[in-house]
Amino acid sequence: MSMDTPQKQTAVDWVEENTPQLSQDHKTIFDFHEPSWREYKSAKWYVERLRAEGFTVEEGSGGMPTAFCAEWSNGEGPTIGGYAEYDAVPGMSQDAVPYRAPRPGTNRYAAGHTDPHSGLGIGSFAGFLAAKHAMEKHDIKGRLKFFGEPAEKMCGSKPVHATKGYYNDLDAAISFHPHSFANMGNSCFWDTHSAPYWSRIYTFRCDEPETWQSSKADGGLAHKHFTARAPGAIDAVCMMYTSGKYMKESMLPHQGSWSLNEFIVQAGQATADNIAPGFSQIQYSLRAPLLDMCESVFEVLDRNAEHCAAMAHCTVEKAWVTRTRAGLPNHAMASVTWENLQKVGAPQWSEKAREFGREILAGLGYENVEDPFVPEIQKLTSPQDGEAVFRQQLPSWQMHLAADDYVDYTWHAPTVRLYIGRPTLQMPDGARCPEWARLAMGGVADCIDPMWITAGKVIGATIIDLLTDGETLDKAQAEFRDRTGGGIGGDKWVAPLLPADYEPPVFYKWPEYVETVRGEEWSIPYTFS
């Protein structure tokens, strides 16, 4: 392909020349398949690679053990930010084969890459290294700031980095994601961006069960087996779960697309029948279009928690896992990225990739499929056309949909949200494609490499434009100041929603891999310390 400047051509050529190594790198991260807040191997790999590339790296940035902040400078100039994600999702273990099978050595309930973040991270990583190479070769001044963002599936790390000031020195930022929307296979968000995502854990404790009831059984026998047992923490978490279900229809009746889901982190801590269960935890996660809608839902949940605790003779503690803002558009950033995507072109899949897709479909009972992939991932869609599709489905007031924590970047620097098509099967009868099939293709180089290769080229070229064309970055920053009422701290600016002294929620017993005398095992921990 031919770019419009030699500097951008250098970046694009670098991705082409380094594709074999980057493909191996992607498979490395894919094979780690570590879940949120426990991505130890993945983070270490990125840190070591970035240091080898000349970056200065802060490990554990923001107090998050599996986060990092890497910086490289070629002299005084603008700072461009971007990031890798690398967390996998529990319950999604799938080998890179055309049939349902968990990863070797794991069960189906272990973690697997769904979006996949393995490809997301390598695509962004490739783009930043390509830009670095072009900056060195053509003596382009500027600074690159590349983050490791763990726990995206919980929208976890970016609000922490934001509240601790890591994004305040960015002049622009690039967010890339494998496509999520059917009509935006290869495009950029325009006006409609991702919505807020709030998540909170409620911890119930029954630390004084003996105070529940003081009366003794007939005959005056003072023995624990003869006295009433406090309901305890299992009852509390069950009532909380049930009351949340009852309340859903009253929280945000008929107001936009929103979802509230729960996860019981732990429950019990007592096996004797006469001992009150002393400890339980439940996590609620909400996606809603507006911040005041988020406030309304958690007002109800907080009230429910207090009453459930009282009924079960428990106390309750409330702690945020995350609170993100709503995404802020930037047309200048979307426009320059879209121009480069047009020059690079949509990803193209080989016959080997198509054959793997046909094998999956054949196993599902579909034969003689010429092209197994949906057409949307093989063509470009302008940001404006993608926006029009969104607007057909949403009420006029709703400008935010779904959720992703990239939104916290958008309030600290002009940011683009880039989508590139990932391999997606076209089911002949309109049925939904099994989730395992999407996961399997994420581990097959012929299927997944075209996506992150395309992303890397677009990101690299866009960084060079921001540093060299003399117009785009100024336009993007002017638009950012206008939308925020003056930039960071402006009268329309929304500050981070977590406190500056926030302690990241890494201490909870999230699912993870553990080493035992039997080797590495998948574990859903059940103890608390």
Side-chain angles (χ1 to χ4, degrees):
M1 72 196 63
S2 177
M3 304 301 287
D4 54 345
T5 71
Q7 295 94 328
K8 288 161 64 174
Q9 191 66 52
T10 295
V12 167
D13 290 345
W14 186 93
V15 175
E16 287 278 0
E17 293 161 6
N18 288 271
T19 288
Q21 179 59 55
L22 290 166
S23 180
Q24 294 178 36
D25 295 339
H26 169 264
K27 192 62 164 58
T28 295
I29 301 299
F30 182 85
D31 287 343
F32 286 152
H33 56 103
E34 298 170 297
S36 291
W37 299 124
R38 300 295 184 259
E39 312 96 329
Y40 302 110
K41 296 176 183 177
S42 302
K44 181 180 179 182
W45 182 91
Y46 272 108
V47 168
E48 291 177 351
R49 277 296 305 273
L50 285 160
R51 284 176 174 161
E53 295 287 346
F55 283 74
T56 300
V57 185
E58 176 193 353
E59 295 184 77
S61 52
M64 300 174 284
T66 55
F68 63 80
C69 175
E71 300 180 31
W72 178 84
S73 175
N74 199 39
E76 187 173 347
T79 298
I80 310 300
Y83 59 85
E85 295 169 5
Y86 31 81
D87 59 320
V89 181
M92 295 294 175
S93 178
Q94 170 63 37
D95 198 8
V97 293
Y99 50 85
R100 182 70 173 105
R103 304 287 187 95
T106 73
N107 61 58
R108 65 183 301 173
Y109 301 107
H113 282 287
T114 55
D115 279 327
H117 287 173
S118 52
L120 183 162
I122 291 298
S124 187
F125 177 72
F128 271 73
L129 291 189
K132 172 182 177 288
H133 178 74
M135 291 167 70
E136 289 175 317
K137 181 175 180 178
H138 298 281
D139 194 27
I140 299 169
K141 304 303 181 186
R143 177 168 165 257
L144 303 179
K145 198 168 184 181
F146 191 75
F147 291 89
E149 302 283 15
E152 189 282 330
K153 285 301 181 183
M154 296 188 193
C155 288
S157 66
K158 300 182 190 76
V160 178
H161 276 141
T163 200
K164 296 183 183 296
Y166 280 85
Y167 305 154
N168 289 350
D169 61 348
L170 298 180
D171 291 294
I174 298 174
S175 169
F176 153 60
H177 197 282
H179 95 277
S180 302
F181 302 94
N183 288 289
M184 290 192 71
N186 299 283
S187 190
C188 304
F189 274 169
W190 193 244
D191 285 319
T192 305
H193 273 253
S194 289
Y197 181 95
W198 289 17
S199 180
R200 197 168 208 176
I201 282 184
Y202 297 89
T203 299
F204 297 97
R205 299 178 187 272
C206 187
D207 291 333
E208 297 181 331
E210 69 279 359
T211 63
W212 167 250
Q213 197 170 8
S214 58
S215 62
K216 302 178 181 64
D218 290 344
L221 293 174
H223 192 282
K224 291 179 71 174
H225 288 193
F226 291 85
T227 58
R229 189 194 78 167
I234 287 182
D235 283 35
V237 82
C238 287
M239 287 190 289
M240 184 67 181
Y241 175 88
T242 304
S243 64
K245 295 293 188 184
Y246 287 151
M247 292 293 101
K248 271 191 178 183
E249 290 187 3
S250 300
M251 289 180 185
L252 297 174
H254 316 298
Q255 296 183 52
S257 52
W258 64 282
S259 64
L260 178 69
N261 293 299
E262 60 284 299
F263 165 52
I264 296 176
V265 186
Q266 300 183 72
Q269 314 308 309
T271 56
D273 70 296
N274 63 305
I275 302 298
F279 181 88
S280 66
Q281 289 178 322
I282 187 169
Q283 176 189 12
Y284 279 93
S285 299
L286 170 73
R287 304 166 188 251
L290 301 172
L291 292 179
D292 61 357
M293 296 171 77
C294 297
E295 294 279 5
S296 298
V297 168
F298 278 94
E299 178 184 343
V300 175
L301 292 175
D302 287 354
R303 186 168 62 238
N304 287 357
E306 295 290 346
H307 287 289
C308 292
M311 286 188 286
H313 201 59
C314 294
T315 59
V316 63
E317 302 162 13
K318 297 167 285 188
W320 291 112
V321 174
T322 190
R323 294 174 80 194
T324 75
R325 293 163 278 184
L328 187 69
N330 194 283
H331 291 175
M333 288 293 292
S335 295
V336 68
T337 307
W338 167 242
E339 289 171 7
N340 284 310
L341 178 53
Q342 289 176 286
K343 293 181 177 71
V344 171
Q348 301 297 310
W349 279 270
S350 66
E351 178 57 26
K352 287 182 66 176
R354 297 181 192 282
E355 180 55 35
F356 189 83
R358 285 192 286 266
E359 286 185 60
I360 293 176
L361 291 174
L364 296 172
Y366 304 106
E367 301 286 351
N368 303 318
V369 179
E370 181 178 352
D371 185 357
F373 298 130
V374 297
E376 288 83 0
I377 65 169
Q378 304 173 67
K379 66 180 184 180
L380 303 180
T381 301
S382 74
Q384 293 84 356
D385 287 344
E387 180 69 20
V389 173
F390 275 152
R391 300 320 318 161
Q392 290 173 3
Q393 304 172 63
L394 298 175
S396 59
W397 63 266
Q398 184 177 341
M399 301 305 298
H400 299 93
L401 177 71
D404 188 295
D405 59 354
Y406 82 89
V407 295
D408 272 69
Y409 276 87
T410 69
W411 290 95
H412 296 262
T415 303
V416 63
R417 178 67 161 178
L418 167 67
Y419 282 99
I420 300 296
R422 58 169 295 180
T424 306
L425 294 179
Q426 183 169 223
M427 304 298 286
D429 58 3
R432 288 182 65 88
C433 180
E435 191 69 15
W436 65 261
R438 295 200 314 129
L439 312 186
M441 290 187 289
V444 176
D446 291 298
C447 292
I448 199 63
D449 286 1
M451 179 201 72
W452 61 255
I453 291 169
T454 301
K457 292 175 180 178
V458 174
I459 292 169
T462 300
I463 292 173
I464 297 304
D465 269 339
L466 292 168
L467 295 177
T468 62
D469 73 6
E471 296 180 1
T472 300
L473 186 57
D474 288 344
K475 289 180 180 178
Q477 291 181 333
E479 182 179 345
F480 177 73
R481 289 191 295 271
D482 181 64
R483 291 182 182 275
T484 56
I488 295 176
D491 57 18
K492 293 188 288 186
W493 186 68
V494 178
L497 301 178
L498 297 173
D501 61 353
Y502 178 74
E503 183 180 359
V506 299
F507 49 85
Y508 292 108
K509 294 298 181 181
W510 306 116
E512 63 180 326
Y513 299 101
V514 296
E515 286 289 341
T516 73
V517 294
R518 296 175 298 277
E520 186 177 75
E521 295 182 351
W522 173 246
S523 173
I524 302 178
Y526 53 87
T527 58
F528 183 78
S529 59

